[in-house]
Amino acid sequence: MAASSTTRSARLGLRATPEQEAVLRRAADVAHKSLTDFILDSACQAAEQTLLDQRLFMVSGSQYQALMDLLDRPEQANEGLRDLFSRQAPWDEG
């Protein structure tokens, strides 16, 4: 996540063990960042990766082609799905 020129106004609080604090401080020093910048940058990178993992799927060329082949096949009757979709949703029952 790129550094923003906007003023930081949101406050985040967290508690850490002394060992965790020591590791974070050492890492921030090595990265030549303040502890706050190091923690925010690291947390934002992890958050972005978590979100990307929910939307982006990496597959090989052969896996991609296999998926495309499945999607290109003509539809087939599926009695189980027909039965499922013919029922009222539990949250709509009343």
Side-chain angles (χ1 to χ4, degrees):
M1 177 174 239
S4 175
S5 62
T6 59
T7 302
R8 292 180 183 167
S9 59
R11 185 168 182 82
L12 301 174
L14 58 96
R15 298 215 180 267
T17 66
E19 294 82 11
Q20 290 169 321
E21 180 187 14
V23 168
L24 290 168
R25 285 191 184 281
R26 282 196 309 268
D29 287 343
V30 167
H32 305 290
K33 294 182 178 182
S34 70
L35 181 59
T36 296
D37 286 342
F38 181 81
I39 291 172
L40 282 175
D41 289 348
S42 298
C44 286
Q45 286 175 4
E48 288 172 355
Q49 188 60 52
T50 298
L51 295 172
L52 282 173
D53 286 347
Q54 300 302 309
R55 293 182 281 166
L56 179 64
F57 300 94
M58 303 299 287
V59 296
S60 69
S62 62
Q63 290 170 319
Y64 176 79
Q65 189 57 54
L67 174 61
M68 292 297 104
D69 292 344
L70 285 172
L71 293 174
D72 287 339
R73 286 187 358 203
E75 70 178 69
Q76 299 174 0
N78 186 320
E79 289 304 316
L81 281 178
R82 186 178 328 238
D83 177 56
L84 177 66
F85 288 124
S86 70
R87 298 181 197 174
Q88 186 174 9
W91 52 85
D92 289 336
E93 294 176 356

